Amino acid sequence: MQIWLDLRFLKSDNKYSTFVAVLIQNLIHTDTGNIYTLYLSNKTKTKFPVQLKVEYIKEEPSSLTEQIKFNSKLKKDKNFLMIFFNEKKPLLYKWDYILFIKDLKELHYQEETNLFKKYIKDLFLNISLKNSKKIICFENQTKHELNEKLNIDENKIEILYPFFNLVQFPSIKIITDIKTKFSIKWEYFIYSWWKWSNKNLSKLIEIISKLNKRKTDISLVILEQDITEDINFRKDVVNMWIVEKVFFIWMSTPEEKKAFYHHSIWSIFPSLYESFPFDLTESISYKSPIIASGLKQTREIMWDSISYFSPVSTIDIIEAIENFISKPKQHTDYKEISEKYDPTNTVKRLINIIKNV
């Protein structure tokens, strides 16, 4: 049968986008019984096999023009089944479709201050969920919330465990004097994630300040560019008198990044909310020890391969950090995790879901 995939959302610097792109390439290679066609944005940079049929959509997702023109196109194409990878589908589209829900972060941490835009976002989500044939999420907690908070029949919801698209690194020599090069005097943690409200970064900075007052010598290396560019955040670091303990690394080279991970004591992930922890991909790829918030979703995926603390308790995080500092640094083998959450297993499960729509 003919199955169309809405991949207009794909971005090159987004781990969920990378996961979906790899998933689709494996799906198309494995499932030869169906014909897959892609809808892409004019801005899409991801490459797919040349023999695939691709349609480029110029209208911006969620715009009024897109709602009218893209919906008309979908109706004209007479798709047997559509797969949308987020809720930004035409509201009037009512034919059979599968809807991927990466997470329900917007329900917990709404960053949109414009009430009209917030209403539109909520509208898209609710209508998309209501009219879908099947909903795919990535772990049990999201399935529970879809059922309990949004009143979605649990028989309509399927769990598809994703995989970590591990980064392949060139054979480069590790820089042995990385701490000297950036004037880092002490052992350090790495933080390498976006500064979204659920990431709990402000609490982490507060904790570094408290540790500094307790004469605990530990530093924080931030490798995420959007944070290094945030002037207000830099001012907070200055006002807390921890300039010598927090390092903003601007556009690190592959050699530098590899060295930072190799010589770090831990990667620290203090998030308040996650679904499948795609953000841990880089740390897992570098075999970096990870200390993270003890969220149900993260524990469900990572089990005892990483260490945990309570993300809402400053005292617990401080005690956990001080405990970890006292331990010898060891690189971690995530082989069991990477084998369990493998593209082959994910594709087989997705094909089975498609067959039963």
Side-chain angles (χ1 to χ4, degrees):
M1 61 182 177
Q2 182 87 7
I3 299 176
W4 289 71
L5 310 170
D6 184 11
L7 300 176
R8 296 172 299 150
F9 77 99
L10 290 180
K11 297 179 181 178
S12 59
D13 60 348
N14 180 283
K15 290 181 177 63
Y16 176 59
S17 292
T18 302
F19 157 71
V20 171
V22 175
L23 172 66
I24 295 311
Q25 291 181 27
N26 280 275
L27 173 66
I28 293 168
H29 177 75
T30 304
D31 185 18
T32 56
N34 291 310
I35 300 172
Y36 289 93
T37 306
L38 315 182
Y39 291 117
L40 299 178
S41 164
N42 286 339
K43 301 176 183 178
T44 303
K45 296 181 180 180
T46 306
K47 302 296 182 183
F48 291 94
V50 293
Q51 68 270 23
L52 283 176
K53 181 179 178 183
V54 174
E55 298 266 358
Y56 286 94
I57 308 300
K58 65 179 181 179
E59 290 80 21
E60 287 292 324
S62 306
S63 67
L64 180 60
T65 305
E66 180 254 8
Q67 287 291 306
I68 297 171
K69 291 189 175 181
F70 188 41
N71 188 69
S72 297
K73 178 166 182 54
L74 293 177
K75 184 176 181 180
K76 180 181 177 182
D77 289 344
K78 297 181 180 179
N79 306 313
F80 182 84
L81 178 69
M82 278 290 302
I83 300 180
F84 295 99
F85 291 89
N86 59 31
E87 70 276 10
K88 293 181 179 180
K89 53 166 285 295
L91 292 178
L92 297 178
Y93 187 83
K94 296 180 180 179
W95 293 270
D96 288 349
Y97 65 88
I98 295 172
L99 178 68
F100 275 65
I101 293 294
K102 174 181 174 286
D103 56 46
L104 294 172
K105 182 170 59 179
E106 294 282 356
L107 291 182
H108 301 277
Y109 298 93
Q110 179 62 255
E111 297 232 328
E112 185 56 71
T113 56
N114 184 299
L115 292 179
F116 177 72
K117 289 183 178 180
K118 182 181 182 302
Y119 170 77
I120 293 298
K121 282 188 174 182
D122 292 342
L123 182 68
F124 269 98
L125 178 61
N126 289 317
I127 292 179
S128 296
L129 290 170
K130 178 182 177 181
N131 293 335
S132 61
K133 193 76 173 180
K134 282 286 183 182
I135 297 167
I136 291 177
C137 62
F138 298 147
E139 32 68 42
N140 284 290
Q141 184 64 23
T142 299
K143 180 177 181 178
H144 175 75
E145 291 182 357
L146 285 168
N147 177 242
E148 293 294 321
K149 295 185 178 182
L150 297 176
N151 199 30
I152 303 297
D153 185 350
E154 65 176 10
N155 294 321
K156 188 177 179 178
I157 308 168
E158 301 284 354
I159 295 179
L160 176 75
Y161 288 109
F163 50 85
F164 292 102
N165 187 45
L166 300 183
V167 182
Q168 301 299 317
F169 305 107
S171 299
I172 51 180
K173 187 176 181 180
I174 296 173
I175 302 172
T176 57
D177 61 345
I178 194 72
K179 291 171 71 175
T180 303
K181 182 176 181 178
F182 288 91
S183 301
I184 303 172
K185 299 177 182 178
W186 304 283
E187 295 279 17
Y188 61 88
F189 290 90
I190 284 180
Y191 180 95
S192 184
W193 297 281
W194 290 93
K195 190 183 173 247
W196 231 81
S197 58
N198 71 294
K199 295 304 183 188
N200 212 14
L201 183 57
S202 58
K203 183 179 286 292
L204 180 57
I205 293 301
E206 176 189 342
I207 286 165
I208 296 296
S209 176
K210 289 182 181 294
L211 286 168
N212 186 51
K213 291 175 182 177
R214 291 163 67 126
K215 306 301 182 182
T216 301
D217 289 330
I218 189 70
S219 295
L220 179 67
V221 171
I222 296 176
L223 296 178
E224 187 54 57
Q225 187 172 338
D226 76 316
I227 300 174
T228 64
E229 294 175 345
D230 190 326
I231 301 300
N232 291 327
F233 185 74
R234 283 175 170 270
K235 287 181 179 178
D236 289 341
V237 170
V238 172
N239 292 336
M240 290 184 184
W241 297 89
I242 51 175
V243 174
E244 291 187 351
K245 294 292 183 74
V246 180
F247 295 83
F248 299 91
I249 307 302
W250 187 276
M251 299 292 288
S252 58
T253 66
E255 292 83 0
E256 289 171 343
K257 179 169 281 191
K258 187 173 183 178
F260 273 121
Y261 273 99
H262 182 80
H263 293 293
S264 68
I265 186 169
W266 298 84
S267 292
I268 188 164
F269 189 56
S271 181
L272 293 165
Y273 173 85
E274 293 297 322
S275 178
F276 187 87
F278 291 105
D279 283 335
L280 298 183
T281 299
E282 193 169 85
S283 295
I284 293 173
S285 298
Y286 281 109
K287 298 182 179 180
S288 173
I290 299 169
I291 172 175
S293 301
L295 307 173
K296 286 183 180 180
Q297 300 94 314
T298 305
R299 287 182 181 272
E300 180 183 336
I301 307 301
M302 301 303 296
W303 290 96
D304 61 354
S305 64
I306 67 175
S307 300
Y308 301 98
F309 53 72
S310 168
V312 296
S313 171
T314 299
I315 294 175
D316 188 67
I317 300 176
I318 289 175
E319 289 180 350
I321 288 176
E322 291 185 325
N323 180 45
F324 298 144
I325 292 172
S326 66
K327 295 179 179 180
K329 182 174 73 69
Q330 294 180 340
H331 289 281
T332 305
D333 185 358
Y334 296 102
K335 183 178 180 181
E336 186 176 343
I337 294 293
S338 59
E339 287 179 349
K340 181 177 180 181
Y341 301 103
D342 176 78
T344 301
N345 298 330
T346 307
V347 167
K348 286 180 180 177
R349 173 71 175 139
L350 178 55
I351 291 173
N352 187 58
I353 293 173
I354 291 172
K355 286 180 178 178
N356 289 284
V357 170

